[in-house]
Amino acid sequence: MSVIPIFLITITFLLSLPPTHGKGDFHCSVGVSKDICLKDDYAQFELPNTDVVNEIHVSLNIDEVYRVDDKDSSITFSAYFNVEWSESRMFVEPKFAALNNGLIQMSPEFVKDLWLPNIYIYNMKSYSVQNVYSKLSGLWIDTNKSVLYSQAAQISFVCPMNFMRFPLDKQRCQFRVGSYSYDMSKMIFITKEFGYSSYSKNVNRNSPPLDYDISMEALQENVIDFGSLGNFSVSGFEIVLTRHVSSYIVTYYIPAGFLVVVSWISFMVPTDMVAARMTLLVILFLALLNIVNTIKQDLPKSECLTAIEVWMLVCMLFIFGALIEYAGILLKNLLDKKKYQNEDRKAATIQQLTEQCSRTDQYFLISFPILFFIFNIIYWLAFIL
C-alpha cells in the first residue's frame, strides 16, 4: 500500500476533529457551559483590556500569623489571597444574567483556560496553596463579567529589619503585590481589603506565642519606580511589629541594674578587708557576664550594637569601674606605705591614708549612683522616643 494515501487519510481525520482551546475546554463551542463560557476568539495570554488600564483588586484576609523570625528577618502567615478583575471577553447568557445576581461559583478547572494576572509578591520567600484532598482554591464570576479567584495559602516573605533598638524596637514590614511585567499604563493594583479575617477576630484560638504585638496599616506608597522599565503599581499593606519588652526588662534589665546597685556596697566596705571587697566585685562581674552570654544566644544579627548590648556594656563598666577604683586605692596605699615606712610617725601616716581612702570611697559612692541615674535618663529617652 502506498504511503501517500495513508498520509492523506490521516490529515483528513485530524482536520475533522473539533478544535481544542485549552486544558479546561470551557469555550463556548465545546458546549460544556452555555450560561458562562469563553468566546472562541478568546486569547488566554492577552490582557482583558487593551485600550484601557486593567484594574486588579487584591484582598488579603489573614487567618493566623505563624512565625516572625528574627534570625532570617521573615514573616510567615496563612491567609485567603483573593484577586478580582474584569473579564469583558467572556460570554454570559442574557437570560441567565437576568435570573442571577452576585457571584456565581464556577469550577476551579475554568482557571486553566482563563487569563490570570502575572502577580508578583515582593520579597517573597515561599508561597504554597493549602491542600487537603485537593488544592483549596475557588473561582467565582458574576453576571457583570467580574472574576474572583481565591486561594487559601501560606505565605512567607522577607522583611528588612533594623535591630539597633532591640528589644525596644518596632519593625515595619511592607507586604506588596504587583505585576511582574506590566507597568501602570497597562495594569493598576488596588487594595480592596486587608487584615485579619472575621473568623480570626471572633473565635478564641490558641495562637502560637509571638514576641511581637501585630497591627496592620495601609501602604503609604503605591508606586515603585523601576527607571527605564517604568512605574509599577503595587497594592498590599504594612505590618507593624511592636516587640513585647516586659519579659526582657524582667529577665535582663532589672537583674543587671540590681548588680550595679549591689556593687556600690563595696564602697562602704573598709579598704583593709581586701578578700571581702574583691570577692563581692568579682562575683558581681561574673554574674553579669553570665547574663550577657545568655542574651547572645537569642540576640538577632545587627550591624551595630543593640540597645540591650549598650545596657549590658554600661553595667559592666560600672562594676569594672568599682574594681578599678579599689585597685587604685590598694596601689596608692602600697606606694605610700613604702614611702613613709622609715618615718617616726608611721601610725599617724597610716591613719591619714585610711582617711584619704575613706573620702575616695565616699566620693565614688555619691558619683556612681548619680552617673547611673543620668545614664538611665539618656538611655530610655534615646531608645524609646
Side-chain angles (χ1 to χ4, degrees):
M1 187 176 180
S2 178
V3 178
I4 296 177
I6 296 176
F7 177 75
L8 293 175
I9 294 172
T10 304
I11 294 296
T12 305
F13 174 75
L14 292 175
L15 292 175
S16 64
L17 293 175
T20 57
H21 301 279
K23 298 179 180 179
D25 290 339
F26 283 93
H27 285 73
C28 298
S29 61
V30 177
V32 175
S33 174
K34 291 297 183 181
D35 296 326
I36 299 178
C37 57
L38 300 176
K39 299 177 181 179
D40 292 342
D41 59 350
Y42 183 86
Q44 185 179 5
F45 300 104
E46 293 183 3
L47 291 171
N49 301 304
T50 56
D51 52 345
V52 295
V53 177
N54 295 271
E55 292 186 357
I56 310 298
H57 298 263
V58 176
S59 301
L60 203 82
N61 304 113
I62 295 178
D63 187 44
E64 190 69 78
V65 178
Y66 290 128
R67 183 171 61 256
V68 179
D69 195 336
D70 291 338
K71 299 297 182 181
D72 61 358
S73 300
S74 65
I75 302 175
T76 303
F77 59 87
S78 63
Y80 303 103
F81 190 66
N82 306 322
V83 181
E84 300 178 52
W85 69 95
S86 178
E87 183 55 89
S88 58
R89 298 173 295 173
M90 285 191 304
F91 172 78
V92 178
E93 178 66 34
K95 293 182 180 179
F96 179 80
L99 296 175
N100 295 274
N101 291 320
L103 294 172
I104 302 165
Q105 188 173 7
M106 302 290 293
S107 169
E109 295 295 320
F110 197 92
V111 175
K112 296 179 180 180
D113 283 334
L114 198 62
W115 175 87
L116 296 175
N118 58 343
I119 286 180
Y120 176 69
I121 299 176
Y122 290 81
N123 297 330
M124 185 182 70
K125 186 178 179 182
S126 64
Y127 182 98
S128 59
V129 181
Q130 298 182 25
N131 195 321
V132 182
Y133 290 113
S134 60
K135 289 187 177 181
L136 301 182
S137 60
L139 179 68
W140 291 264
I141 300 175
D142 67 11
T143 53
N144 294 323
K145 300 182 181 181
S146 294
V147 180
L148 168 62
Y149 185 47
S150 176
Q151 289 182 332
Q154 182 169 310
I155 306 171
S156 179
F157 73 101
V158 176
C159 170
M161 296 182 181
N162 186 347
F163 296 107
M164 185 185 71
R165 296 175 179 266
F166 175 87
L168 309 172
D169 55 328
K170 178 186 287 188
Q171 308 293 342
R172 307 186 76 91
C173 305
Q174 292 184 343
F175 182 83
R176 297 176 296 178
V177 178
S179 172
Y180 184 78
S181 57
Y182 294 111
D183 61 13
M184 291 184 61
S185 63
K186 296 180 180 179
M187 191 176 295
I188 291 179
F189 281 77
I190 300 172
T191 306
K192 184 176 181 181
E193 187 179 1
F194 67 88
Y196 284 103
S197 63
S198 57
Y199 174 80
S200 299
K201 293 178 181 178
N202 298 328
V203 177
N204 291 325
R205 61 198 190 284
N206 295 323
S207 301
L210 297 175
D211 205 22
Y212 294 92
D213 178 60
I214 300 175
S215 60
M216 300 176 196
E217 300 177 0
L219 282 178
Q220 299 298 322
E221 296 182 0
N222 298 318
V223 179
I224 299 179
D225 184 5
F226 282 104
S228 60
L229 294 177
N231 295 328
F232 284 68
S233 172
V234 293
S235 63
F237 56 93
E238 193 171 46
I239 300 177
V240 182
L241 305 173
T242 305
R243 194 181 299 273
H244 296 143
V245 72
S246 57
S247 61
Y248 292 92
I249 291 178
V250 173
T251 307
Y252 302 119
Y253 279 89
I254 293 179
F258 279 162
L259 292 177
V260 173
V261 173
V262 172
S263 69
W264 300 337
I265 298 177
S266 65
F267 299 132
M268 294 182 283
V269 178
T271 56
D272 56 346
M273 298 179 65
V274 179
R277 190 159 175 174
M278 289 297 296
T279 301
L280 172 63
L281 292 174
V282 170
I283 289 176
L284 292 176
F285 193 76
L286 293 177
L288 189 58
L289 282 178
N290 184 55
I291 296 176
V292 172
N293 291 330
T294 304
I295 294 174
K296 286 185 177 180
Q297 297 177 2
D298 300 323
L299 198 67
K301 293 181 180 180
S302 178
E303 297 179 354
C304 58
L305 286 176
T306 62
I308 197 168
E309 287 177 314
V310 172
W311 176 267
M312 292 299 169
L313 179 60
V314 172
C315 289
M316 290 176 64
L317 289 176
F318 271 99
I319 297 178
F320 188 72
L323 272 169
I324 295 298
E325 184 265 351
Y326 187 50
I329 289 177
L330 293 178
L331 180 61
K332 184 176 184 304
N333 286 344
L334 181 63
L335 295 176
D336 288 344
K337 285 180 181 179
K338 287 183 178 181
K339 180 179 179 180
Y340 298 109
Q341 63 181 353
N342 296 324
E343 295 185 5
D344 297 334
R345 301 179 59 187
K346 184 176 180 180
T349 302
I350 294 176
Q351 180 65 28
Q352 185 179 4
L353 292 176
T354 303
E355 291 177 356
Q356 289 178 357
C357 294
S358 178
R359 287 195 296 270
T360 303
D361 281 339
Q362 290 178 2
Y363 171 79
F364 279 95
L365 182 60
I366 296 173
S367 61
F368 266 37
I370 294 175
L371 290 175
F372 191 65
F373 179 74
I374 294 173
F375 162 71
N376 270 269
I377 294 176
I378 297 174
Y379 179 89
W380 295 108
L381 288 178
F383 286 106
I384 290 182
L385 298 181

